[in-house]
Amino acid sequence: MAVLHYLEFIIGRLLYPIRSHDSAQIIHCPAFKDLPEPNMTLESPEAGPSGSKLPLHCTCKASDGKGCLPELRWTAPNCREQVKEYVLLCEDLDPPIPFFVFHHGLFWAIPASITKAEAANAHPEELAKISRLTVAGWRFVPNVLGLPYVGAGAPLGHGKHRYVFTIIALNASLKFKAPEKASKKDIKRAMTGKVIGWAQWTGTFEKPWPN
């Protein structure tokens, strides 16, 4: 195992310059062109202010090796329009792949009455592989592991990664003929003309050398 750790570390160091794909994050898609600045607040009571380290149980160092969604709380947007639903997204802006942003979790159809998210909300329901629903009734777009959410897992040797959580308020619900098949690209396209608020909170994680 030690050999594999050294190999991962060496590859991570070689790929270190490949990072900071900020321009690819969701707030730079056309849906946000009329709202370039945030008008909501998003915070993580358990982690601290934006820029704080993610708790280990929210990373690949958790006991299950996957990690969970950190506790998040947000306020409604400062605008006259009524919120119909929210979208919640977590993106790693620093993966060692050119021009690529890895989404750890993408949840939509979050009711307007909800102003917080907890780890349990992201758990898949029994038939989630077909329905793409969490136990909270939220829709989700699977990440590359096929899961609703997976915690931070920066490669060993690649340094500190930024995990940006974005809450998005919409003035209309997202509608799809087959919601269980909606992709991230579909979500971004469908949000155009509906975004009335957003905010971000950033957590960081650097994979430590294994014990």
Side-chain angles (χ1 to χ4, degrees):
M1 287 299 293
V3 173
L4 293 178
H5 294 152
Y6 276 108
L7 182 60
E8 181 184 1
F9 179 81
I10 292 170
I11 293 174
R13 296 310 297 171
L14 289 173
L15 298 177
Y16 184 86
I18 303 176
R19 58 197 311 110
S20 302
H21 313 307
D22 297 51
S23 62
Q25 61 181 309
I26 198 166
I27 61 169
H28 294 303
C29 77
F32 292 80
K33 67 180 180 64
D34 296 325
L35 194 64
E37 298 297 328
N39 61 348
M40 299 170 60
T41 61
L42 177 63
E43 61 182 13
S44 177
E46 71 171 330
S50 186
S52 297
K53 292 181 179 179
L54 284 165
L56 287 182
H57 65 267
C58 297
T59 75
C60 62
K61 302 304 290 182
S63 58
D64 65 357
K66 297 177 181 177
C68 65
L69 183 74
E71 180 186 4
L72 298 167
R73 296 180 185 273
W74 59 86
T75 59
N78 182 21
C79 69
R80 295 181 179 180
E81 294 188 76
Q82 184 178 3
V83 178
K84 293 297 183 181
E85 70 177 45
Y86 291 106
V87 174
L88 178 62
L89 170 69
C90 173
E91 296 175 300
D92 177 0
L93 304 187
D94 300 304
I97 304 172
F99 314 111
F100 179 76
V101 166
F102 176 76
H103 96 254
H104 283 248
L106 172 51
F107 305 95
W108 59 283
I110 301 174
S113 59
I114 301 298
T115 56
K116 66 177 181 178
E118 299 173 337
N121 300 138
H123 292 169
E125 69 158 20
E126 187 176 355
L127 299 176
K129 288 186 177 180
I130 299 173
S131 68
R132 289 192 181 178
L133 284 168
T134 72
V135 293
W138 303 352
R139 292 280 184 184
F140 70 89
V141 175
N143 53 41
V144 296
L145 299 179
L147 302 172
Y149 185 84
V150 66
L156 184 65
H158 199 250
K160 182 168 66 177
H161 280 210
R162 294 163 298 152
Y163 299 85
V164 179
F165 295 80
T166 305
I167 186 70
I168 306 162
L170 306 178
N171 62 6
S173 299
L174 300 181
K175 303 292 185 182
F176 301 99
K177 290 183 179 179
E180 71 281 359
K181 296 180 180 179
S183 66
K184 184 178 180 181
K185 183 180 293 185
D186 293 330
I187 299 293
K188 291 165 71 173
R189 185 184 301 115
M191 289 196 306
T192 301
K194 299 181 178 69
V195 176
I196 58 174
W198 62 277
Q200 293 185 316
W201 180 87
T202 301
T204 66
F205 174 68
E206 181 173 358
K207 193 173 185 180
W209 190 264
N211 293 327

